[in-house]
Amino acid sequence: MTAGVTREWLAQQAAKAGAPVKEGWKDGALTVFVPGAPRHFKGKGNRYTVSKHTKEWRERTAVRLLEHRLPGAHLEPWPWKPEQPKRITFTVYCRNAFDGADNLRLVCSPVKDALGPRGPRKPGMGLIDDDRDSSGHEFHYQQTVTRKAGSVYGIAVRIEMAT
């Protein structure tokens, strides 16, 4: 596993503070929690810092999705085709609120990229065919601010068929 996300680390985080969401499959929807301190680098830092941050979030998301795609030892296909319209909800668990919907979208951008198509330079998981608004997928953004000691921060992703 990459970027410090191991099964042991996740178990330790869950035991310490309790995961903010229940992960897994329920009623045809998949919920995955990607741990880490949510932030964006728009206009901040140099391009190498931004690139490293983006790559780490994409890899962490891909690993978390892959864990829920691997029941047992063999690779199971996703229950949805990439082009089928989906409702994808990103819930950011953070210490400080992000201003406006634009900043929330920026924070979720690397996670959203990990859901996309695979390519030579894209580590996407092939859950969606395109992340543009015109693709037919619905993207919703929420945030939950908590400052309790021992809180686990990250981004929860819920993927379900659009109705």
Side-chain angles (χ1 to χ4, degrees):
M1 296 193 175
T2 61
V5 179
T6 62
R7 293 184 196 280
E8 294 81 23
W9 184 85
L10 288 169
Q12 181 184 44
Q13 292 297 315
K16 189 175 13 172
V21 294
K22 184 164 175 61
E23 290 188 289
W25 294 90
K26 184 176 181 186
D27 299 329
L30 172 63
T31 303
V32 175
F33 181 72
V34 184
R39 58 185 296 196
H40 72 82
F41 282 92
K42 179 88 171 159
K44 302 176 187 173
N46 60 43
R47 66 184 173 141
Y48 301 107
T49 303
V50 175
S51 177
K52 180 181 175 192
H53 168 80
T54 302
K55 182 179 177 186
E56 286 176 356
W57 271 96
R58 277 195 315 246
E59 288 178 352
R60 252 185 285 164
T61 303
V63 166
R64 297 298 298 133
L65 286 166
L66 195 58
E67 284 180 354
H68 290 281
R69 186 179 175 184
L70 292 173
H74 54 283
L75 192 63
E76 296 288 330
W78 295 110
W80 317 286
K81 292 182 180 174
E83 62 276 358
Q84 289 178 307
K86 294 169 200 66
R87 180 182 305 113
I88 301 171
T89 306
F90 299 96
T91 306
V92 178
Y93 292 88
C94 52
R95 181 171 174 78
N96 297 313
F98 292 99
D99 296 340
D102 290 343
N103 284 338
L104 211 49
R105 284 177 183 244
L106 286 171
V107 169
C108 297
S109 180
V111 176
K112 188 177 177 183
D113 290 344
L115 302 175
R118 290 181 215 165
R121 306 187 103 204
K122 295 180 180 180
M125 295 302 295
L127 279 162
I128 58 176
D129 59 340
D130 195 355
D131 62 358
R132 290 182 289 187
D133 290 336
S134 62
S135 67
H137 305 295
E138 299 173 25
F139 298 101
H140 301 279
Y141 302 90
Q142 307 169 4
Q143 61 182 325
T144 301
V145 178
T146 180
R147 294 186 178 162
K148 286 194 308 189
S151 294
V152 178
Y153 301 120
I155 301 173
V157 183
R158 180 177 168 82
I159 306 162
E160 59 190 326
M161 290 300 294
T163 54

